[in-house]
Amino acid sequence: MPLSNASVEAPVVEKLRKSATPSAIAVELDGTLVKTNLLLELLLGLIRQKPSLLFFLPFWSLRGKGHLKRQLDLRVLLDPATLPFRTGLIEYIRAERAEGRATILAADADPLLARRVASHLAIFDGVLDRAAIAELGLEWIEHKQRVFKSAGKGAADCLRALRLRHWLKNFLLFVPLLAAHRMTETALLGKLLLAFVAFGCITSSGYLINDLLDLAADRRHPGKRLRPFAAGDLPLSYGLAAIPVLIAAACAIGHLVSGLFLASIFVYLALGLAYSLYLKKVVLLDVIALAGLYTIRILAGSAAVAIWPSHWLLAFSTFLFFSLALVKRYGELEVMRRVDGDTARARAYRLSDRNLLAAMGIASGYLAVLVLALYINGDAAQILYKRYELMWLLCPLLLYWISHFWLTAHRGEMPDDPLVFAVSDRISRIAILLMVAVSVLAI
């Protein structure tokens, strides 16, 4: 029986054929050497890189999995250097090869990706398909893969992928009720609690979508590479199954709140999808979208309780969230500078853009302070706050907090999300508590 065209290492094959007991091991690529499903990786890559070609998927699938994988591999750039390999297995293969055993990487019907992986790792003597390996009677390393599997975290990884700590940002839903001084109305609080859970579900679905579509970029980031999907600790199928469940749950709970609130969920989901698929690759438009995702939470809170935000609140939140979105990108540039040096990039931003990002972000943050000052000086504040003069203390506190944020980012100490950082940062917690205390005393 002739070997398949995937057998491109003729000398190795001939040597194995002549040996009575071939001293070689065959390693399965998909799911064994790498801790992920490569077909799903390619599909997600197509959605991310060339979504217009999704129309052809049914036609490629009709000719079998191998043909589908070949067509995807020809069109999707999947960098072997970023794949989550089993390091213990690689060391085992390297040791076996040092002992004189031939090492073969098993390819599916399409060997293109396997060849690129073999070239990258430089620990294999050849790439063969399953038919060729069966003919030669080689030992399959896939039967030993349990030895090399990483210790899974199970439920912990599932919860980590949902980014439950980012639900803290959904407390922005309560801002309209706080601004109107109606937090004691239990009926409205009950609606907002339902809204909080609904928005938590929709935001978690958005994080799953973003993580699945951003695998390659996350794997190049020193911190994001540890995310469950990027690290291969969680099957991609989990995310694909969880997304529709979370969206359905968000819609069901949102319907109980109000029709307008349900509409705000759809607006958030649409903007989140646009951001994940396209907007995050467009300079400046990405940070405007991020700021919009923050602001939508406030508007959703208004829709839940039918308390509409003032123009002061909308102006304040626009400038503040734009500043926070810019500090997020600036912080990412600083992190990547430590990895890639002067060639560092973060999304569509170059390292040379960081000074301009800082200038725009700091200016936007200080404009938020200006809006707050103008509001305090107006009639609305004097009506709502009996001791409104105390509100002037908010201006230096907010000025200090925004300056602290940007100084932290400038030092390269700003993590992925600024609002989550605010909860864990001691100085931010003190500043926020002082601002809350001043607001309460002024009522």
Side-chain angles (χ1 to χ4, degrees):
M1 180 186 299
L3 292 176
S4 161
N5 288 334
S7 308
V8 295
E9 323 296 342
V12 175
V13 171
E14 290 304 314
K15 180 180 178 180
L16 293 172
R17 273 177 165 167
K18 292 175 182 178
S19 174
T21 55
S23 179
I25 54 174
V27 182
E28 184 71 32
L29 172 62
D30 208 342
T32 300
L33 184 63
V34 294
K35 303 185 291 181
T36 187
N37 185 313
L38 292 176
L39 178 58
L40 289 180
E41 293 255 355
L42 290 168
L43 284 169
L44 291 168
L46 186 73
I47 295 172
R48 175 73 173 148
Q49 298 174 24
K50 300 178 180 178
S52 60
L53 297 181
L54 290 173
F55 171 78
F56 296 98
L57 279 180
F59 302 100
W60 295 337
S61 301
L62 289 175
R63 297 183 60 181
K65 180 180 176 181
H67 181 75
L68 172 62
K69 203 168 186 178
R70 173 181 286 273
Q71 295 304 316
L72 290 172
D73 196 20
L74 289 171
R75 291 163 175 81
V76 177
L77 178 61
L78 197 62
D79 185 1
T82 65
L83 292 175
F85 293 102
R86 298 190 193 279
T87 54
L89 177 55
I90 290 176
E91 292 304 315
Y92 173 80
I93 295 168
R94 189 173 284 119
E96 291 294 297
R97 197 178 187 212
E99 293 293 325
R101 299 188 76 183
T103 54
I104 304 298
L105 181 61
D108 287 332
D110 171 36
L112 298 178
L113 181 57
R115 289 176 187 168
R116 293 204 303 274
V117 170
S119 176
H120 167 68
L121 293 176
I123 59 173
F124 294 103
D125 296 298
V127 178
L128 303 177
D129 64 13
R130 281 183 168 271
I133 291 170
E135 178 186 341
L136 292 167
L138 304 185
E139 176 189 350
W140 272 101
I141 198 68
E142 65 176 352
H143 299 307
K144 296 183 179 181
Q145 64 172 304
R146 62 184 181 277
V147 178
F148 305 102
K149 279 188 176 179
S150 305
K153 301 181 183 65
D157 275 327
C158 294
L159 293 175
R160 192 157 60 94
L162 297 177
R163 297 202 218 173
L164 296 182
R165 63 176 185 159
H166 286 253
W167 283 33
L168 291 169
K169 290 183 281 189
N170 296 332
F171 279 109
L172 290 171
L173 293 164
F174 292 84
V175 168
L177 200 62
L178 282 167
H181 299 178
R182 296 175 62 182
M183 284 296 291
T184 57
E185 299 183 28
T186 55
L188 297 182
L189 275 175
K191 280 192 171 185
L192 279 176
L193 288 174
L194 283 176
F196 179 84
V197 175
F199 238 80
C201 291
I202 205 66
T203 51
S204 285
S205 72
Y207 290 131
L208 290 176
I209 292 170
N210 186 72
D211 287 354
L212 290 174
L213 294 177
D214 223 17
L215 291 170
D218 284 352
R219 287 167 181 161
R220 294 187 182 96
H221 191 280
K224 296 179 184 180
R225 65 184 177 83
L226 301 177
R227 289 176 175 174
F229 295 121
D233 295 331
L234 199 61
L236 302 180
S237 55
Y238 164 80
L240 294 173
I243 288 168
V245 173
L246 288 167
I247 293 175
C251 292
I253 300 172
H255 180 71
L256 298 175
V257 178
S258 75
L260 199 55
F261 175 76
L262 181 59
S264 70
I265 286 178
F266 289 126
V267 171
Y268 181 92
L269 180 61
L271 182 57
L273 282 172
Y275 173 78
S276 295
L277 289 170
Y278 176 69
L279 296 179
K280 69 164 55 177
K281 297 181 287 186
V282 183
V283 170
L284 295 182
L285 198 55
D286 64 329
V287 288
I288 291 175
L290 281 175
L293 290 171
Y294 287 129
T295 304
I296 287 174
R297 289 173 166 92
I298 293 178
L299 296 174
S302 293
V305 294
I307 297 175
W308 310 114
S310 67
H311 61 279
W312 291 110
L313 178 57
L314 290 178
F316 174 79
S317 61
T318 296
F319 288 121
L320 179 62
F321 295 146
F322 186 64
S323 179
L324 294 181
L326 285 166
V327 82
K328 177 181 172 73
R329 286 291 179 262
Y330 183 92
E332 289 174 349
L333 273 175
E334 285 296 317
V335 170
M336 294 309 297
R337 182 175 65 87
R338 298 178 181 180
V339 178
D340 299 326
D342 293 338
T343 62
R345 298 180 71 97
R347 305 296 180 190
Y349 297 92
R350 305 168 187 169
L351 187 63
S352 57
D353 297 330
R354 59 179 178 161
N355 290 337
L356 181 59
L357 292 178
M360 291 188 296
I362 294 170
S364 183
Y366 290 172
L367 280 173
V369 180
L370 176 61
V371 171
L372 177 62
L374 292 173
Y375 167 73
I376 295 170
N377 195 51
D379 294 335
Q382 296 180 30
I383 294 171
L384 282 173
Y385 297 91
K386 296 178 181 178
R387 293 176 289 276
Y388 80 95
E389 295 87 354
L390 289 175
M391 295 285 286
W392 285 107
L393 294 174
L394 292 177
C395 292
L397 286 171
L398 183 61
L399 195 65
Y400 174 80
W401 184 59
I402 291 170
S403 302
H404 168 69
F405 252 57
W406 277 99
L407 182 61
T408 302
H410 179 70
R411 292 175 174 175
E413 299 170 0
M414 177 65 64
D416 179 35
D417 191 276
L419 283 184
V420 175
F421 167 77
V423 177
S424 59
D425 176 57
R426 184 176 63 87
I427 292 177
S428 293
R429 290 200 303 267
I430 293 172
I432 292 171
L433 286 174
L434 287 174
M435 286 188 278
V436 171
V438 168
S439 300
V440 171
L441 290 172
I443 295 175

